[in-house]
Amino acid sequence: SAVISQKPSRDICQRGTSLTIQCQVDSQVTMMFWYRQQPGQSLTLIATANQGSEATYESGFVIDKFPISRPNLTFSTLTVSNMSPEDSSIYLCSVVIDSSSYEQYFGPGTRLTVT
Amino acid sequence: GENVEQHPSTLSVQEGDSAVIKCTYSDSASNYFPWYKQELGKGPQLIIDIRSNVGEKKDQRIAVTLNKTAKHFSLHITETQPEDSAVYFCAATIYKYSTLTFGKGTMLLVSP
């Protein structure tokens, strides 16, 4: 497996502002993803973070709202832009370690509340 | 795209009983089925998984079965303990894409 950390672990933000969430892995990984988990709900994939190129977004998620960077094989950021109360969720990064493995491991999550 | 249905949404058992959670999937091309346990305030933890070329997999008190023809898979927990209390999620994916589609989750409560 891999050790995945996220910063911040939680935050309370004002509507209209932006928050950048960091995901750091203790080893190089082949794939990184960002998921959203709304209160009491399941996980929904936001996008695949591609190293050195634009992220691949799922239906319903756009780059202007959720810009993602992945500058190297151990680090990625997700920004939640122009926040509204509907963005209050847990944001999770996950990784697949190498191209031969199936297993996907999740970070501890960032709990975001927008007031 | 893939759709994963999970049942039941809540499950209450007595310590020592068995618990079974069932999932169905829609895309016959899906070939990897992980199960995650999420405790309150934590990220999902991979507890067991199964690939489409295997019908059953066991790891101590937990097991997963897969029926490709019926497109359903199940999580079995035997000799449940209070520390098994959590939300369990099933998921499905086509391996080469790795993008998981999750079920809605099952809240398992094990009473002492």
Side-chain angles (χ1 to χ4, degrees):
Chain A
S1 64
V3 177
I4 306 167
S5 59
Q6 288 186 231
K7 290 182 180 179
S9 59
R10 61 178 65 242
D11 208 340
I12 301 173
C13 300
Q14 301 262 346
R15 70 171 66 209
T17 63
S18 298
L19 176 72
T20 295
I21 302 168
Q22 299 179 2
C23 178
Q24 179 73 56
V25 193
D26 69 340
S27 59
Q28 292 185 349
V29 296
T30 184
M31 301 188 78
M32 298 182 77
F33 305 92
W34 287 97
Y35 288 81
R36 181 175 73 181
Q37 186 175 27
Q38 294 178 301
Q41 302 297 313
S42 186
L43 290 83
T44 301
L45 180 65
I46 297 171
T48 303
N50 300 310
Q51 194 233 341
S53 65
E54 191 172 288
T56 304
Y57 290 84
E58 297 299 303
S59 177
F61 297 97
V62 295
I63 187 171
D64 290 346
K65 176 67 176 178
F66 298 101
I68 288 170
S69 76
R70 189 183 172 190
N72 56 51
L73 295 178
T74 64
F75 185 78
S76 178
T77 66
L78 167 74
T79 299
V80 186
S81 303
N82 188 25
M83 288 184 285
S84 66
E86 292 71 36
D87 294 320
S88 298
S89 294
I90 300 172
Y91 291 87
L92 297 141
C93 71
S94 69
V95 304
V96 172
I97 295 176
D98 61 62
S99 57
S100 65
S101 65
Y102 291 67
E103 296 84 1
Q104 191 166 142
Y105 300 98
F106 282 82
T110 295
R111 285 148 189 81
L112 171 62
T113 302
V114 184
T115 60
Chain B
E2 175 67 279
N3 182 53
V4 177
E5 299 284 340
Q6 183 172 347
H7 298 281
S9 57
T10 59
L11 180 59
S12 294
V13 300
Q14 293 288 322
E15 183 177 1
D17 288 349
S18 295
V20 180
I21 303 170
K22 299 181 179 181
C23 290
T24 60
Y25 61 99
S26 61
D27 190 344
S28 56
S30 289
N31 56 8
Y32 175 63
F33 308 92
W35 285 89
Y36 289 86
K37 175 184 180 182
Q38 187 175 30
E39 298 176 89
L40 193 63
K42 297 184 178 180
Q45 176 193 1
L46 178 64
I47 57 171
I48 197 168
D49 56 11
I50 192 166
R51 304 180 190 183
S52 59
N53 59 348
V54 175
E56 183 173 359
K57 183 177 179 181
K58 189 173 183 179
D59 183 3
Q60 299 183 357
R61 295 187 297 109
I62 61 174
V64 58
T65 59
L66 171 65
N67 183 326
K68 286 169 51 180
T69 302
K71 291 191 283 188
H72 67 70
F73 56 112
S74 300
L75 177 71
H76 305 253
I77 306 174
T78 59
E79 302 173 22
T80 54
Q81 301 167 2
E83 50 266 39
D84 294 329
S85 296
V87 179
Y88 291 81
F89 291 98
C90 64
T93 188
I94 300 171
Y95 159 59
K96 64 178 179 178
Y97 299 125
S98 294
T99 53
L100 295 172
T101 300
F102 284 85
K104 291 188 181 301
T106 296
M107 180 176 292
L108 174 64
L109 176 62
V110 182
S111 303

